[in-house]
Amino acid sequence: MREYNTTRWMSFKRGPYFTYLFLAIQIVVFILMELVGLTQGIYSGSEDVGILYQFGAMTHAAINIDGEIWRLVTPIFVHIGFFHLLLNSLGLYFVGRILEPLIGHARFFLVYMLSGIFGNLWSFAFGSDNAISAGASTSLFGIFAAFIILGQIYKYHPAIKYMSRNMTLLILMNLVMNLFDSGVDIMGHFGGALGGLLIMIIVGVPANKLGFNENIDKTKRLLSLVVFVLLSVGCLYKGFYG
């Protein structure tokens, strides 16, 4: 009979798989953009507007006029230049490896993807009509904001409270700095953070995680779901008709 090492299996099971998957996707997309650029004689394909658009970057016209609604999703994995990719990849690697094992794979997937989409919706509704937007920042702000909610759930867990305070400060500092940088999609960042707060409330935390029985009241979770849906619909309406 084959025997398994329970400790190793549980450690393997808790691995941050979606964190690594998302990292792999955005790195592969970046490499493909650079290769396509080289075939066209462009040194940095990931900074070329045409190639960015080809790989799924978001513009207001592409969604509003051409109806390419899928561009609310694809920008999460498209980056403008190497340093943009590097910064977002480092953020995802360090924060994702903490958050995903803490809340579980399915919840992490939902927080990351829905925050990114919500941030792109916010950018579509309130951002510049002439800008081209791309990057995992909307999703990153979402997982940063998730720690704010975790800090409220695990009020007596010092490590999580510490992370919660740091993530709150990080979000506020970034949003303030974004005000002075016209090249940054502040609306996408704000929307991603707001989406992360709402989605983390909606999904809650696994039962008995960290030995605590605390979770979010079901009424608050339902209310957050209603707010998330209404704001999403409102952003779509504003983007198309506002």
Side-chain angles (χ1 to χ4, degrees):
M1 180 180 293
R2 180 179 297 176
E3 295 182 357
Y4 293 94
N5 185 311
T6 305
T7 303
R8 287 186 178 181
W9 166 245
M10 291 305 295
S11 177
F12 178 79
K13 189 177 178 181
R14 289 194 298 267
Y17 304 122
F18 280 118
T19 296
Y20 296 147
L21 176 63
F22 294 147
L23 279 170
I25 293 173
Q26 62 193 39
I27 291 171
V28 168
V29 169
F30 178 82
I31 292 172
L32 290 175
M33 291 171 68
E34 293 296 319
L35 291 175
V36 169
L38 290 175
T39 63
Q40 299 176 12
I42 301 170
Y43 175 69
S44 183
S46 62
E47 298 183 60
D48 179 79
V49 172
I51 294 175
L52 283 165
Y53 187 84
Q54 179 183 342
F55 275 80
M58 187 181 78
T59 66
H60 190 275
I63 298 174
N64 193 20
I65 298 174
D66 300 329
E68 296 177 347
I69 201 76
W70 48 269
R71 289 185 185 272
L72 293 170
V73 180
T74 51
I76 296 171
F77 303 105
V78 178
H79 290 83
I80 305 173
F82 174 74
F83 286 106
H84 189 208
L85 172 71
L86 178 63
L87 288 175
N88 282 350
S89 295
L90 288 173
L92 172 56
Y93 177 77
F94 286 111
V95 179
R97 289 173 69 245
I98 298 172
L99 183 61
E100 186 174 349
L102 188 60
I103 65 175
H105 307 304
R107 287 177 175 83
F108 179 80
F109 177 86
L110 290 172
V111 171
Y112 190 84
M113 290 303 301
L114 293 180
S115 295
I117 294 169
F118 192 78
N120 289 330
L121 270 171
W122 206 267
S123 178
F124 173 58
F126 302 105
S128 171
D129 291 349
N130 302 315
I132 184 164
S133 302
S137 302
T138 50
S139 292
L140 289 179
F141 270 79
I143 62 175
F144 295 162
F147 274 98
I148 298 175
I149 303 303
L150 289 177
Q152 297 302 310
I153 297 174
Y154 299 117
K155 296 179 180 179
Y156 306 108
H157 194 290
I160 294 180
K161 288 294 292 184
Y162 177 77
M163 285 288 294
S164 178
R165 288 193 295 269
N166 284 349
M167 291 303 170
T168 302
L169 182 61
L170 179 64
I171 291 171
L172 292 175
M173 288 178 59
N174 271 276
L175 289 177
V176 170
M177 289 189 293
N178 290 170
L179 291 172
F180 303 98
D181 189 345
S182 60
V184 173
D185 185 2
I186 186 173
M187 288 301 166
H189 291 177
F190 174 80
L194 178 59
L197 291 173
L198 292 171
I199 295 300
M200 191 64 241
I201 294 173
I202 293 167
V203 301
V205 296
N208 299 315
K209 199 69 175 178
L210 301 179
F212 290 78
N213 291 317
E214 300 175 71
N215 211 320
I216 301 169
D217 180 79
K218 291 182 179 179
T219 302
K220 292 181 180 179
R221 296 171 73 174
L222 179 60
L223 179 60
S224 296
L225 176 60
V226 172
V227 171
F228 182 84
V229 171
L230 289 177
L231 287 177
S232 297
V233 173
C235 284
L236 279 173
Y237 183 85
K238 173 71 168 58
F240 280 112
Y241 306 109

